[in-house]
Amino acid sequence: MTYTGDVTPGGAPAVRDLDRLAITKVSVGPMDNNAYLLRCRATGEQVLIDAANEAPRLLDLVGDGGLAAVVTTHQHMDHWVALEEVVAKTGARALVGAEDAPGLPIEAETLSDGDTVPVGDCALEVIHLRGHTPGSIALLYRDPAGIPHLFTGDSLFPGGVGNTDKDPERFGQLIDDVEHKLFDRLPDETWFYPGHGKDSTLGAERAALPQWRARGW
């Protein structure tokens, strides 16, 4: 079945099998949060991006394969409701952008721009994106056999950047970081996976960047 990234709360996961990495996307909780389970196809090691809600469902998704780490994209509560339970039951490392660590319910190891999160034989590059929260991060997987894959949390969605509460300074930080650290560095075919809702590609959104900047959100 062709991967589209379309998931619904309580519905079936969407699974994308890359050459070296399997990506499973599921929608959880009342705010339709996306959680992503990544599995190295060579080693079986798994990493979860955003233990957002519904811990039993996420643990079922993890299964018997174990969980090496949970990466929280930012400190907003809807992205970590299940974090404490998932970590307690799997022994996974908790990882988060350094500036957002105080906002989590448990102690977590901190990540900075340019750090690497291993997923077995695969690797995720940490990209710090200021503005939505001080420590928001995106995670980039450069598939050696295909296109780049980017997990953006709530910093980038189809149709615009994340919420900055109409604060011009925060919006300026976010639109600058999204433009220069993502759009200027990565090709149009880069597929991105946001913290809520549908996926998109950088190419599908690139032409709208000046419009986003002009409207201020």
Side-chain angles (χ1 to χ4, degrees):
M1 184 179 296
T2 301
Y3 175 86
T4 64
D6 293 339
V7 292
T8 57
V15 179
R16 187 171 203 171
D17 284 320
L18 307 180
D19 185 57
R20 300 186 182 185
L21 189 73
I23 301 170
T24 301
K25 175 182 180 179
V26 64
S27 172
V28 294
M31 296 184 70
D32 189 13
N33 284 77
N34 295 327
Y36 300 94
L37 183 68
L38 312 185
R39 177 177 54 83
C40 172
R41 301 187 68 184
T43 69
E45 184 168 280
Q46 300 185 120
V47 168
L48 180 66
I49 299 175
D50 285 343
N53 214 311
E54 299 183 52
R57 193 159 165 233
L58 296 179
L59 290 165
D60 283 346
L61 203 64
V62 170
D64 297 329
L67 191 64
V70 181
V71 185
T72 303
T73 58
H74 62 288
Q75 66 181 329
H76 288 159
M77 182 178 179
D78 60 307
H79 290 261
W80 54 252
V81 171
L83 176 63
E84 189 168 10
E85 184 174 348
V86 168
V87 166
K89 291 187 175 178
T90 63
R93 299 161 63 202
L95 307 173
V96 68
E99 294 84 354
D100 278 9
L104 296 194
I106 60 173
E107 188 173 347
E109 300 174 45
T110 58
L111 299 169
S112 299
D113 195 67
D115 284 349
T116 298
V117 177
V119 188
D121 291 343
C122 303
L124 305 174
E125 177 191 340
V126 176
I127 303 173
H128 181 203
L129 301 171
R130 305 160 301 157
H132 182 63
T133 64
S136 290
I137 57 172
L139 298 160
L140 172 64
Y141 172 61
R142 294 183 181 271
D143 184 359
I147 64 173
H149 297 262
L150 182 66
F151 301 87
T152 58
D154 283 3
S155 291
L156 176 64
F157 295 97
V161 297
N163 179 35
T164 54
D165 294 323
K166 299 182 179 178
D167 182 325
E169 181 178 358
R170 287 174 54 197
F171 173 75
Q173 289 177 333
L174 184 53
I175 193 72
D176 284 348
D177 280 0
V178 164
E179 181 171 355
H180 301 315
K181 290 186 173 185
L182 303 184
F183 284 90
D184 286 354
R185 289 182 56 210
L186 299 169
D188 281 352
E189 60 265 29
T190 302
W191 190 286
F192 72 87
Y193 306 78
H196 305 262
K198 295 181 180 296
D199 305 350
S200 187
T201 64
L202 294 188
E205 311 297 326
R206 189 181 297 275
L209 275 169
Q211 177 188 344
W212 299 351
R213 189 177 286 276
R215 75 190 183 190
W217 56 273

